[in-house]
């Protein structure tokens, strides 16, 4: 979907007749500029995930870590299944509301400003009907403007636009490392931050008193552990809706304690119950991220917390570094909790966040490694009711050979589900680019309806050919013989997984495919152009004998090392076997595979075009383009499909924007 700009202005035309064309031309240029800002461009596919747009340059980088501040959430999603974010527009020099386009995996600005202060950071909250934003100056800046400000916006789901519901309200004048807020069951907003006022750093709390625009003055949370903090310590906050409580989590590295305090929504401001989640040397650190599991009967909240075990003089590689806390009961007077190690000191992961998927009962922990400048974003997933994490770094989630210092992941406060799916944003402060990855969370297992005789689920027939969606994709632009795809959705046994594969290199390089569930793959067709330009396309398939869970690895292995490699996978139901293949190669603007005789109906026509350069590909008549991947500017891959209901001769075809070497392969499945 396309974002809309609001409040655009145009130059005045009240000039002498002799000069009337100048402002018209200027208005035309402005209109074109606005249109170019609003229309999302296709994202650049990297090794894992997507590269978005630049928030700075090597010579001019006015902001740093725009996705940073570990407890804060820069993203949210609305009931119309659209994701949004507060991102930095280097053209306007402002943090603005951006809209995410799932189809192109790209961002476009709405033009609605959030903060013009370049060293600022924001925390966002979508409460179901309005967007709330708190922004502040980072404590490391020398900017004289020290305001923590609150803003609110209404949202029109029809026009996909945001309108300010209030002007910026100054809550207090302080520069802080992080400021986090949430909304309690009585409709009040609560905010926490740490600050030095007097002898040492303390945990501060403030909340609304009447509507959203009147707030209390900041006050110190009434517990000895909330004072005399280390200068590095921060706090975060969550609304625990099932228990009608506000929960505040903070680190105190001076007394070696991680605290969790709860406040009943009906209690007075000075009544808090405090639990020590850990109290040991090098236990607490200032990397905190906490989420409420919405509509959870047991009232659980979950936190991803970093220890300081990596700073210990006698540190052990097996010591816990990133820990997941499950807090099942707040207050009264102590919270019940458990903790599980996600990453160890040896893994060297930093700035982790937690995301909860209510539809499927999963918790996702996402963080950067190595510490502390980042590199690759890794992900681990577990059931939140029975957490258990395997050893090692986990699954690469955002990785780029161009951006080798990816760090500071951020997402939403909200609980995820099959409608929202999952989106995580990060940034690289060396290339000054945003990057992201997106997961289709798939279908949750439905709760069975109790009946005396359950009705069996019918077995799909060949008439039920269904594209179950993209499973995953990957590209590489440096020499190598393998390419790994991390699956972004579960594919059940019995489904057929089809892979479109492209690579460079001399003629005769073969390809094999395997996955981490030990399914067997066949290369149904492979075609190279037989020249030094190195353009090879292939289609591989597997009728899965075993479930392929989300987060699995599909590995494409070549018989020799090449520079460019691309692959994308799609899952289908209702396919029983192969029904012919064809392939061709040439240099032109019109790739075509030749035709195959389809003997059964209905059938799937699956086409793969691999071509030199990063120009656009348009699918031929009757075909639908599923994907278009680029490996740098040198090699591209396009995948087309067509589901036909009659037997006959079919093939793959398309149009390229320039005449280049290509191979076009097609396979039929019935």
């Amino acid at each position: 979907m396309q974002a809309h700009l609001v409040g655009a202005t145009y130059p005045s035309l009240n000039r002498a007749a002799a000069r009337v064309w100048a402002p018209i031309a200027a208005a035309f240029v402005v209109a074109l500029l606005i249109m170019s800002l609003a229309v999302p461009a296709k994202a650049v596919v990297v090794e894992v995930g997507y590269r978005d747009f630049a928030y700075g340059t090597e010579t001019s980088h006015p902001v740093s870590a725009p996705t940073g501040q570990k407890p804060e959430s820069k993203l949210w999603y609305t009931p119309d299944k659209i994701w949004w974010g507060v991102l930095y527009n280097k053209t306007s020099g402002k943090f603005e509301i951006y809209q995410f386009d799932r189809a192109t995996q790209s961002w476009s600005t709405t033009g609605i400003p959030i903060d013009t202060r370049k060293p600022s950071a924001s925390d966002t909250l979508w409460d179901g009907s309005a967007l709330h934003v708190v922004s502040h100056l980072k404590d490391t800046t020398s900017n004289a403007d020290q305001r923590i400000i609150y803003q609110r916006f209404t949202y029109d789901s029809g026009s996909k636009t945001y309108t300010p519901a209030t002007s910026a309200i100054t809550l207090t004048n302080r520069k802080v490392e992080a400021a986090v807020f949430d909304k309690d069951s009585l409709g009040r907003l609560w905010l926490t931050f740490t600050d030095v006022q007097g002898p040492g750093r303390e945990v501060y709390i403030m909340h609304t008193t009447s509507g959203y625009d009147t707030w209390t003055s900041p006050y110190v949370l009434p517990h000895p552990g909330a004072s005399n903090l280390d200068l590095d310590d921060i706090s975060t906050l969550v609304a625990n809706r099932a228990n009608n409580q506000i929960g505040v989590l903070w680190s105190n590295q001076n007394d070696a304690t991680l605290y969790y305090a709860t406040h009943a929504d009906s209690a007075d401001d000075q009544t808090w119950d405090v639990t020590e989640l850990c109290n040991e040397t090098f236990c607490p650190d200032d990397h905190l991220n906490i989420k409420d599991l919405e509509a959870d009967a047991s009232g659980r909240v979950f936190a991803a917390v970093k220890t300081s075990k990596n700073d210990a003089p006698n540190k052990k590689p097996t010591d816990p570094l990133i820990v997941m806390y499950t807090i099942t009961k707040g207050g009264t007077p102590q919270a019940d909790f458990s903790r599980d190690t996600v990453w160890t000191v040896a893994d060297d992961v930093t700035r982790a966040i937690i995301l909860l998927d209510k539809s499927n009962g999963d918790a996702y922990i996402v963080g950067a490694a190595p510490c502390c400048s980042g590199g690759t974003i890794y992900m681990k997933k577990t059931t939140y009711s029975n957490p258990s994490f395997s050893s090692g770094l986990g699954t690469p989630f955002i990785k780029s050979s161009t951006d080798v210092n990816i760090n500071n992941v951020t997402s939403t406060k909200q609980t995820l589900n099959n409608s929202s799916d999952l989106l995580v944003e990060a940034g690289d402060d060396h290339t000054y680019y945003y990057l992201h990855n997106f997961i289709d969370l798939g279908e949750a297992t439905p709760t069975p309806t109790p009946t005396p005789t359950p009705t069996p689920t019918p077995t799909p027939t060949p008439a039920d050919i269904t594209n179950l969606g993209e499973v995953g994709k990957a590209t590489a632009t440096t020499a190598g013989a393998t390419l790994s795809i991390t699956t972004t959705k579960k594919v059940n046994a019995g489904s057929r997984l089809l892979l479109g594969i492209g690579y460079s290199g001399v003629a005769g390089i073969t390809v094999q495919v395997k996955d981490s569930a030990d399914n067997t793959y066949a290369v149904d067709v492979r075609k190279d152009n037989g020249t030094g330009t190195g353009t090879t396309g292939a289609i591989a398939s597997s009728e899965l004998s075993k479930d392929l869970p989300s987060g699995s690895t599909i590995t494409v292995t070549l018989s020799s090392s090449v520079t460019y490699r691309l692959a994308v996978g799609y899952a289908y139901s209702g396919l029983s076997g192969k029904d012919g293949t064809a392939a061709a190669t040439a240099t032109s603007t019109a790739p075509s595979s030749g035709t195959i005789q389809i003997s059964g109906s209905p059938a799937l026509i699956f086409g793969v075009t691999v071509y030199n350069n990063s120009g656009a590909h348009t699918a031929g008549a009757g075909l639908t383009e599923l994907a278009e991947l680029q490996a740098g500017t040198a090699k591209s891959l396009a995948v087309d499909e067509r589901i036909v209901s009659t037997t006959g001769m079919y093939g793959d075809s398309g149009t390229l924007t320039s005449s280049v070497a290509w191979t076009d392969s097609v396979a039929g499945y019935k």
Side-chain angles (χ1 to χ4, degrees), residues 11-27:
S12 172
L13 299 181
N14 57 347
R15 297 177 181 267
R19 303 172 63 189
V20 72
W21 289 108
I24 292 176

Side-chain angles (χ1 to χ4, degrees), residues 187-510:
R188 295 176 299 183
L189 298 176
W190 289 74
L191 175 74
T192 187
F193 54 87
T194 64
D195 190 25
V196 177
Q197 296 284 312
R201 183 171 291 271
E202 299 171 305
V203 177
Y204 282 88
I205 304 293
M206 59 189 306
H207 62 82
T208 56
T209 59
S210 177
Y212 297 124
D213 300 342
T214 305
W215 293 69
T216 66
S217 297
Y219 68 93
V220 177
L221 192 145
H223 185 273
S227 298
N228 192 33
L229 275 59
D230 185 87
L231 292 179
D232 191 42
D233 286 319
I234 64 171
S235 60
T236 186
L237 177 150
V238 67
N240 183 203
R241 295 164 180 83
N243 286 326
N244 296 325
Q245 293 175 336
I246 288 294
V248 178
L249 178 70
W250 76 93
S251 59
N252 187 331
Q253 295 174 75
N254 282 336
D255 68 5
T257 306
L258 178 69
Y259 291 97
Y260 180 67
T262 58
H263 174 274
D265 294 344
S266 59
D268 65 79
D269 284 2
Q270 297 300 308
T271 302
W272 293 79
D273 292 304
V274 180
T275 300
E276 295 181 1
L277 298 181
C278 73
N279 184 350
E280 59 184 83
T281 305
F282 296 106
C283 173
D285 199 284
D286 72 323
H287 296 209
L288 315 172
N289 190 267
I290 190 167
K291 301 289 167 60
D292 171 59
L293 183 60
E294 297 172 15
D296 177 52
S298 62
R300 288 170 291 182
V301 298
F302 299 83
V305 177
K306 182 176 179 289
T307 73
S308 296
K309 300 290 186 180
N310 58 327
D311 295 330
N314 58 342
K315 66 182 178 182
K316 299 176 182 178
T318 56
D319 282 344
L321 184 64
I322 304 294
V323 177
M324 171 177 154
Y325 282 87
T326 303
I327 304 172
T328 56
K329 183 183 70 174
T332 62
Q334 296 290 309
D336 295 334
F337 67 93
S338 60
R339 57 188 175 217
D340 297 89
T341 298
V342 185
W343 284 293
T344 65
V345 168
D347 299 321
D348 202 23
V349 175
T350 189
R351 295 177 173 88
I353 67 170
I354 185 168
L355 293 164
L356 305 172
D357 170 14
K358 187 67 178 290
S359 292
N360 302 291
D362 293 326
Y364 291 83
I365 314 292
V366 187
C371 181
C372 293
S373 60
T376 297
I377 304 302
Y378 292 92
M379 178 195 75
K380 286 190 178 183
K381 183 179 78 169
T382 186
T383 57
Y384 52 64
S385 294
N386 187 25
S388 178
F389 295 95
S390 59
S391 61
L393 281 168
T395 303
F397 189 62
I398 306 176
K399 183 178 181 181
S400 167
S401 60
T402 303
D403 312 281
V404 297
N405 297 100
I406 310 171
N407 208 344
N408 296 304
V409 289
T410 190
S411 189
T412 179
K413 297 181 188 296
Q414 297 156 280
T415 297
L416 307 174
N417 54 55
N418 287 340
S419 177
S420 70
D421 296 322
L422 181 154
L423 176 63
V424 169
E425 195 76 13
D428 186 318
D429 263 6
H430 290 72
T431 60
Y432 309 104
Y433 263 83
Y434 284 109
L435 299 98
H436 80 273
N437 207 350
F438 184 88
I439 292 179
D440 181 345
L441 295 176
E443 295 297 325
T445 303
T447 302
T449 302
T451 56
T453 305
T455 302
T457 302
T459 301
T461 66
D464 297 324
I465 295 175
T466 302
N467 185 335
L468 302 176
E470 181 185 297
V471 175
K473 68 181 79 170
T475 64
T477 58
T478 56
T482 62
L483 183 67
S484 294
I485 296 175
T486 301
T487 61
T488 57
K489 65 188 305 177
K490 178 184 178 182
V491 186
N492 293 325
S495 303
R496 184 169 288 272
L497 182 57
L498 301 182
L499 287 172
I501 301 168
Y503 52 93
S504 63
V506 298
I509 297 176
T510 59

Side-chain angles (χ1 to χ4, degrees), residues 91-139:
T91 301
S92 67
K94 302 174 184 177
F95 284 93
E96 296 173 349
I97 296 177
Y98 275 70
Q99 179 180 345
F100 181 71
D101 187 300
R102 296 190 188 208
T104 61
Q105 290 290 305
S106 61
W107 292 97
S108 55
T109 183
T110 64
I112 298 296
I114 294 297
D115 207 318
T116 60
R117 301 174 297 177
K118 295 179 177 62
S120 69
S122 296
D123 190 37
T124 67
L125 168 67
W126 171 262
D127 69 359
S129 59
L131 170 67
H132 306 263
V133 184
V134 168
S135 57
H136 63 92
L137 264 293
K138 299 176 185 178
D139 58 349

Side-chain angles (χ1 to χ4, degrees), residues 135-155:
S135 57
H136 63 92
L137 264 293
K138 299 176 185 178
D139 58 349
T140 55
T141 180
S142 59
N143 196 309
D145 185 347
Q146 301 184 19
R147 294 173 300 146
I148 299 179
I149 60 175
Y150 163 76
Q151 298 171 85
R152 186 173 68 259
F153 301 84
T154 58
Y155 175 62

